[in-house]
Amino acid sequence: MIYQTLLLVIGLLILMSISSPSDASVDQAHDAKDSSVLSTRKSPHARIHPVPISSVRMMAGFWKPWMEANRTKGLPALLEQLEQHGVVDNFRRMSGRKAVERKGPYFSDSDLYKWMEGAAWAVASDEDAALESKLDAVIDDVAAAQRPDGYLNTFFVDDIEGQRFRNLSTEHELYCAGHLFQAAIAHYRATGKAALLKVAERFADYLVDHFGPGKIEQVDGHPEVEMALIELYRTTGRRSYLELAGFMISAQHFALRQQIGGHAVREGYIAAGAADYFAETGDEALHRALDVVWHDMSSGKVYITGGLGSRHGGEAVGNAYELPNERAYAETCAAISNAMWNFRMLGITGDGRYADMMERALYNGFLSGVSLDTAHWFYVNPLACWESYQRSAWFGCTCCPTNAVRMLASIPGYLYGTSDDGIWVHLYEDSQLEWCLSDGVKVLLTQETHYPWEGKVRLTVNPERDTEFSIHLRAPAWCSKLSVAVCGEKLSSEITNGYITISRKWKRGDNVELTMEMPVELMESDRRVAENRASAALQRGPLVYCLESTDNPGLSLRGVQISRTAKFEPRSGPELLGGVTVLAGVGTETPFEEGAPLYRPLGSLKSPEATQAQLTAIPYYAWANRGISQMEVWIPLAD
Amino acid sequence: MIYQTLLLVIGLLILMSISSPSDASVDQAHDAKDSSVLSTRKSPHARIHPVPISSVRMMAGFWKPWMEANRTKGLPALLEQLEQHGVVDNFRRMSGRKAVERKGPYFSDSDLYKWMEGAAWAVASDEDAALESKLDAVIDDVAAAQRPDGYLNTFFVDDIEGQRFRNLSTEHELYCAGHLFQAAIAHYRATGKAALLKVAERFADYLVDHFGPGKIEQVDGHPEVEMALIELYRTTGRRSYLELAGFMISAQHFALRQQIGGHAVREGYIAAGAADYFAETGDEALHRALDVVWHDMSSGKVYITGGLGSRHGGEAVGNAYELPNERAYAETCAAISNAMWNFRMLGITGDGRYADMMERALYNGFLSGVSLDTAHWFYVNPLACWESYQRSAWFGCTCCPTNAVRMLASIPGYLYGTSDDGIWVHLYEDSQLEWCLSDGVKVLLTQETHYPWEGKVRLTVNPERDTEFSIHLRAPAWCSKLSVAVCGEKLSSEITNGYITISRKWKRGDNVELTMEMPVELMESDRRVAENRASAALQRGPLVYCLESTDNPGLSLRGVQISRTAKFEPRSGPELLGGVTVLAGVGTETPFEEGAPLYRPLGSLKSPEATQAQLTAIPYYAWANRGISQMEVWIPLAD
């Protein structure tokens, strides 16, 4: 009873804050942990709302070992790198704590902020006093560097202190600010501590004072701050942050967009910001532009891995169907931005095709950027490799590693969603969700699954008391055959917009069994993708596979072909690459004609005899973990 | 008798100058016109030597209209552009003749020099008092700008006058110098006037004083001066120029090269310079490197058009088999540098494969860079075009137009070669060669042909008197069946290194009929070229063809396929595109599935019905002359 009263009061408080967002400071408005990637405050124009990271418990699933490695190895190793490269010292220098030279590119602050966000989400999931204390120390250094007026950027000091915002198109002060805000929000939600959030608010207030119509009307060349400002609005209730984000999105003419083009990461971020803004405001012009741009991206400008960026030049999305494999750029950050954008599209629409794209990006194009030990990274994620290419612990522009640690730590936030009528399961993962339904009933939802290695998912539903609500189960687009049973009884599982909705009065111990057939598929692409013509990629469930030379010794990988009817079988490899299911099949290897001319009349060469070749494919994300190798995703088809 | 005595004296003079290259000034050593692209002075380690442009008369052949347009429209229009963009004024400013701001990139001098070289070769072929007087005026402006110590570069004046050679890797003073030398040589050979050659010599002497071991030991980031210095040595006899070129080639470690890589134009130029150096010195290490690099280029890094450069980033050659079509860079200058390099390889080896590559580059990848009116240009020459792309009259970096005008004007120099035993015919073209054999007998060789539209060539040989010598006829690699008849008598035409040698005592009126079968070929490429997999290109004779939407109205070009056994027929189109032979054939058009996913299980979509499509292909070089269009060289093959 006390519990219910408390909930009612909280509910009323939330309602009040939505109807009249106050400009009250953080301390007054929030004094409880709310560790979500996005706020659980219900955005009025969203159909699905996120859940806090702290409400999700990751069990023995696919992502848990990655998160564990990230928390215990990746994050500490990356902080050491940031220290070694002077990124933290830049802040100490600014506050006078350390007399050193400024080091790194002008946007290096953002790298520390992203690390901080990652560390915050990591401690939201798992207690880690050592990591938290490192984070607190870094926060102290950051806070001490803030200027009295709220401005904070370690590049603009000394001689150029007065030249703030002198070159927004390339010097990325607002991009850095955005990452500061996101780190602050994460820290606040993860720990309840408001120290960094206050720093963020002061800087955001400074931006509100300086940017907007009649003030500085330019925007940052690298979008990012839009999402961050809207999240800061959701966190603090200060509407001026939302308005500033709206001004920035409008200044970039997003609503007039007809296509995706240019820098891939920026394109994902601005679209994510626009989706956030729609969620708060219901701006229909933005929604239309989001639809058009998303269609342009998904129909011809995204890799099968969910990676974005076909050109090294400008780190850019290419023309339609311009999707080279060996020369793919597919920056790790771009797969992250694609996932973030699609998560928001899923939120505002409830349409599973966005969950499909998000899943594709997370399990493939994002994860390929991370080594198994979470301490070595790809910036560029090619889909074929014929010359030597390896992961690095650091890059001169090290945006990808720092982005990856925050994405790994925030995975729990992407699994579930909620709406007034119940709970959404977006990603299948061995995990638990503890949630309080809109009628106030607490429910514990347990997912048991070996996804993505197997297509079986068992949900156990434990409401505090019997209550009616809906569970929306995602029916992934990759799955052409699935079945659902509720408490052993088969359901005619109608799929609407990529989800199966099960509405009933649930009682303790009720269970749902979802069985997704997960055959190995030979995938083709639109024939306008020139490099994939007469080739097929192996896919099973959400995972794209590749042939890596390491698993196919003695073969000249480039001479391998498979038939259109090739059958590949999944084989569990618990000892391999942290535990993966490999695909085994048969193809052919045809040697190359030595000294043959590059161009010759069609069919004029007698082809060398093809020989049978046993092939082993591994998940694309796991390649390049065992030294120099060759690799390909798209395998030529034999005539 | 007087004539023969004169020849003997000239012969002795040449022998003397070869055995002991003097440092005598130009005026003393040369007082006759010698209008060759390369000197006719016999390089001791070359097997074939070039002929002067003035010894070749272009008749009603393929190249004549291009040269005519170039002389009457292209060169005058480009000079106007150079004037408008301040490139000539930069020189007038330097000499104090005009008080203007310096304009254009730091290497803009080279653009004027290339124009001057083109104008000089143009007046070598055809009298044109107006053009020659424009050229003389420009030369006067250039000469007046030279510094008292011989240095000449309009970028390094005023504040930075003292900072010569401060940044050789990017500021291209030596590259500009090289183009000055080549313009000077061309002008001297074309007109016998030595004014510009003196300017060149003074600058070259300045370079000799400042560069080399113990002096400045760096070299220009953009090779070009190497070829130019060696040609200046050939023209003046000053061995110090050859030595300086040798130092520069050595400083670039060319002899250690294992592959072609990096900036495509530079790669062709340094290789051409190295081949020139071999021709003079017989440096075997250079020859080995040239072989290795050429093999690397020709076996996997060159387009079917002879174009070089797979990457927009760095204007660079890519990895092996990295040859994207829509995103080809294939800079016009790179096709020129490829042709220049191969012409020199042909000279030092006598091997027809280099003539094949040169021909490929000239008729396709180079000529595609020039509009039919020779006043609009491509910098980048894609092999497929799905989005709008058009020619320009000028570029911020306008290297290609100025390079193209000099190449067009110097075409006559590429048709023939000579050796002690006679005459070489490299390129088939309606033309006449007037030559003096090594035994002193003058011979007039007349080529009658409609090449490249027809494969029949009739040579009429008119020696001053009966004499024995060899005619080496090129047997192009594209031709699998040819026959030769001498005075109506069929010859068993043995091909050695790509040439058929006919040695006999020739008398006035003897003729040779070469008949090359010229079927339409469907070409394939090595299957490692991912974008060309399951595609074919149309080729007939030396010409690569393309489908341009303009000639195929009502078709969705991207949906067109042809069968592996498709037959295309040549059809003469005298009114079309300046007079071309088109190829007509039948293919299919398969519409694209609206809204189909970019990636899907292989064969899961029911393909829309294919319909028969009448197709017309035009020579690749002629595309983009009739407004915005789509285009492709590599046509997908139907299953």
Side-chain angles (χ1 to χ4, degrees), chain A residues 302 522 524 527 599-600 602, chain B residues 302 522 524 591 599-600 602:
Chain A
V302 65
L522 263 59
E524 67 178 8
R527 64 193 141 103
Y599 305 106
R600 62 258 174 158
L602 184 63
Chain B
V302 66
L522 263 61
E524 66 179 9
Y599 304 106
R600 63 256 177 158
L602 184 62

Side-chain angles (χ1 to χ4, degrees), chain A residues 33-37 52-57 67 71 117-128 131-132 135 185-192 409-410 412:
Chain A
K33 281 213 251 177
D34 164 28
S35 57
S36 167
V37 178
I53 283 179
S54 55
S55 69
V56 179
R57 192 168 153 217
M67 292 172 59
R71 183 175 60 78
E117 185 185 342
W121 294 133
V123 301
S125 285
D126 295 284
E127 295 229 350
D128 189 328
L131 184 61
E132 193 168 342
L135 174 58
I185 293 163
H187 184 241
Y188 174 68
R189 290 189 186 153
T191 65
S410 57

Side-chain angles (χ1 to χ4, degrees), chain A residues 137-163:
Chain A
V138 168
I139 287 172
D140 191 62
D141 280 324
V142 167
Q146 188 167 36
R147 288 304 179 234
D149 59 4
Y151 180 87
L152 177 52
N153 188 301
T154 69
F155 188 73
F156 287 85
V157 285
D158 306 333
D159 295 354
I160 58 167
E161 167 95 48
Q163 297 179 36

